[in-house]
Amino acid sequence: VPANITAFANDIDYVWGAQQIATWRNSTNPDVVLSKYIPYCRDPTPHLDKNNSGLPWWQENKPELVLYQCDQVTPAWECFPGEGCAHVSVPLDLSNPETLEYQMEVAVLPAAQDGYNAIALDNYGLTNTWKACGSFKGPNGTWVQMYGNGGVAPEDDPQYTADVLNWTARAVDQIHGAGLLVIPNFSDLNLEDECVLTMSNLTDGILSEAGFALWDPVPNTTSFTTPPPMTNPDKFKAQVEFIRNMQNYGKGFYAINEWGAGPDYGLNPAMIPYNITGDANRPIRQFVSA
């Protein structure tokens, strides 16, 4: 709402999936970081048919970029517990350079032209959660199995992680070249994981959708009846250590936290065992609306 932007602009550092770009740029805080929402491994500009599916357009125009499960029929759709599977944004083969070319052409470069100064990569992950297996990118459109070879299950294949990190390096380089920051939505804050650290080093910050109320593993849509446990000192300390490490390297951290009474987590900030007040802790206590 423009009135809210005018009233609160000076209190905002970063906006995930921003709208009203001109209003922000004409506010008292014109340099605020405004990010364009882009799903990192799915079509950022869905081409929907009358059945609200994005698949037919891709099968006709760019079939080699669609990422399928091992049955070679079912795309590796985004699926979340309690929410089902969405068939709108087609999953794309990040290992194919043409995927990044498409993402830059239809999403990143237009975002730069529209006045954004960051890209918000949603649902970023280093594990093959949706059981992607391969694509029809072989000679004459033949099947190429990328994950699940050698007896390993696709969801456990480290090649997927390698491909995501390779794409991330290429994507960040090109997005930076367009003058934008890169901030993925990522909640696995593990300082002991070299792949997580690689991703953190490549990008400019992290938005953590799980915040300090980590899922167990159900998301908030199912927590009406099954609330996940509240945070605890060890969990909170590990997250703060991760965030402090990011701060030491000049990177931002933004948490989505859902406090107090309500249908979601019911997490009471008074129970947090560490003091996060003061300017030095501002990045830790960010509250954003996705």
Side-chain angles (χ1 to χ4, degrees), residues 14-255:
Y14 167 63
V15 183
W16 171 272
Q19 301 180 35
Q20 304 284 346
I21 305 304
T23 303
W24 280 106
R25 296 300 178 218
N26 290 312
S27 73
T28 54
N29 187 13
D31 296 325
V32 62
V33 177
L34 305 177
S35 62
K36 173 69 174 179
Y37 176 95
I38 295 176
Y40 92 103
C41 64
R42 307 188 303 277
D43 185 4
T45 56
H47 303 78
L48 301 180
D49 65 5
K50 62 182 180 180
N51 296 317
N52 206 39
S53 172
L55 184 59
W57 184 91
W58 280 90
Q59 290 178 326
E60 180 178 348
N61 293 277
K62 297 179 181 291
E64 71 282 1
L65 298 187
V66 180
L67 197 58
Y68 291 90
Q69 295 184 2
C70 288
D71 63 4
Q72 304 182 25
V73 175
T74 306
W77 297 115
E78 55 175 308
C79 302
F80 298 101
E83 297 181 14
C85 301
H87 295 175
V88 175
S89 296
V90 169
L92 304 178
D93 175 8
L94 297 182
S95 72
N96 193 322
E98 293 181 14
T99 292
L100 181 54
E101 292 176 10
Y102 173 81
Q103 293 168 314
M104 293 294 297
E105 177 184 354
V106 305
V108 175
L109 296 180
Q113 295 170 358
D114 289 341
Y116 290 94
N117 49 3
I119 295 297
L121 296 176
D122 198 19
N123 303 131
Y124 186 95
L126 294 173
T127 56
N128 192 0
T129 305
W130 300 316
K131 300 180 180 180
C133 189
S135 64
F136 292 95
K137 62 180 178 181
N140 300 314
T142 53
W143 172 258
V144 175
Q145 182 156 334
M146 301 156 55
Y147 314 115
N149 294 301
V152 64
E155 57 268 36
D156 299 324
D157 197 331
Q159 184 59 48
Y160 182 87
T161 303
D163 286 346
V164 171
L165 289 175
N166 177 274
W167 172 87
T168 303
R170 291 183 288 112
V172 169
D173 182 64
Q174 294 193 34
I175 294 171
H176 281 175
L180 293 90
L181 302 172
V182 181
I183 303 177
N185 171 12
F186 184 78
S187 297
D188 186 11
L189 310 182
N190 184 359
L191 276 174
E192 305 300 321
D193 189 323
E194 289 296 328
C195 294
V196 172
L197 294 179
T198 297
M199 180 276 296
S200 300
N201 288 331
L202 288 170
T203 57
D204 301 294
I206 288 176
L207 176 131
S208 174
E209 187 173 2
F212 293 100
L214 293 182
W215 301 320
D216 188 35
V218 293
N220 56 7
T221 51
T222 60
S223 60
F224 287 97
T225 57
T226 312
M230 295 182 180
T231 190
N232 60 63
D234 290 340
K235 181 191 300 182
F236 191 88
K237 181 180 179 181
Q239 289 178 279
V240 171
E241 287 177 350
F242 186 96
I243 298 163
R244 289 294 187 215
N245 184 66
M246 294 188 66
Q247 285 184 306
N248 289 338
Y249 288 93
K251 298 175 184 289
F253 177 83
Y254 309 93

